[in-house]
Amino acid sequence: MAGQSKEAVIPPWGLAVAGATGAVIANALVYPLDIVKTRLQVQVKRKATDPAPRGVDDVHYASTWHAITKIMEDDGILGLYNGINGALIGVASTNFAYFYWYSVVRTLYLSRQTTATPPGTAIELSLGAVAGAVAQIFTIPIAVVTTRQQTQGKGERKGMVDTAKEVISSEDGWSGLWRGLKASLVLVVNPAITYGAYQRLREVMFPGKLNLRPGEAFLLGAMSKSLATIATQPLIVAKVGLQSKPPPSREGKPFKSFIEVMQFIIKNEGLLGLFKGIGPQISKGLLVQGLLMMTKERMELLFILLFRYLRKIRSEQLQKAADLAASKAKQALPLLSK
């Protein structure tokens, strides 16, 4: 299997660096879609009895394009990149942790197998879920801060540190930085479905192929992410609701669980409210995952070539050392025979 061959060549940290690099490049290119989908997912239809809205709550976006034009009208082009520093730190750390642990647990599983058959779909999903859970525990505070930054209006903008302090000073205290952890742990099924589907689609569409072309990797990444997003969109919306400021109608009272968020959305907007923002969510996911896997495949190929070169250099150095030792031994032999 292609995946097995690569894992034998590239160590876990190499796969982690490749994945993190691909994630940063991909997310930087499509970051405005991330802002838009977050704004769409946190907004709630207002009632006549709700308190007067303030800041970003004063605007109700009708569509993806309306959100883009309104954000640019209010905040300029930089408004589409609000919170990008934290977001890129978050995707880099999350993907580094995910790909590292995914490689570790998958390699460990394969080493215990008595046959060379590739893992089944259920096993791929389980391995991905374990890796995703470990990654989320360590990186969710960055996601909480980034979500808050993305929903700040022009007059409310704060840096990462100040936004983190604002979260900590709320009624949740330090635990506020881990708001949505349960939802995030449930959402590990998203990358699990994504990478499980990627592996299976790769085996079906490109069996035995070690290195994919950029277009092939992009196609597989886009297809697998689209499937995962459609399956988990309600949980994604609930997680964003947990991590953002509570809507005006709750008068500052934060949600306690993602079930409570979902119940609130269904009550105010109906079942379809759980799928709000799915347009930019899929567009972003499709582009990000396609670009991520395309970049990751190229990075892995570079690592393979680099490690081969380093092994060649080391082999040559060892050979020179062995030749030098043999030469000295030959020179010393006549002296010993006298």
Side-chain angles (χ1 to χ4, degrees), residues 111-139:
S111 68
R112 293 174 178 271
Q113 292 296 99
T114 55
T115 61
T117 56
T121 302
I123 294 298
E124 290 284 10
L125 293 177
S126 300
L127 296 176
V130 171
V134 175
Q136 284 296 329
I137 291 171
F138 291 102
T139 60

Side-chain angles (χ1 to χ4, degrees), residues 13-37:
W13 66 264
L15 292 169
V17 170
T21 302
V24 168
I25 293 173
N27 278 274
L29 290 173
V30 300
Y31 187 75
L33 281 174
D34 198 23
I35 286 275
V36 169
K37 68 92 180 172

Side-chain angles (χ1 to χ4, degrees), residues 15-31 34 37 83-100 135-136 138-144 146-147 150 160 195 225 239 284 288-289 292:
L15 292 169
V17 170
T21 302
V24 168
I25 293 173
N27 278 274
L29 290 173
V30 300
Y31 187 75
D34 198 23
K37 68 92 180 172
I84 189 171
N85 292 336
L88 294 185
I89 292 172
V91 297
S93 57
T94 300
N95 281 274
F96 183 92
Y98 179 85
F99 282 107
Y100 180 85
Q136 284 296 329
F138 291 102
T139 60
I140 195 171
I142 301 174
V144 172
T146 300
T147 300
Q150 290 178 339
M160 287 187 65
Y195 296 110
K225 189 62 177 181
K239 177 187 172 185
K284 178 216 168 189
V288 166
Q289 200 64 32
L292 189 160

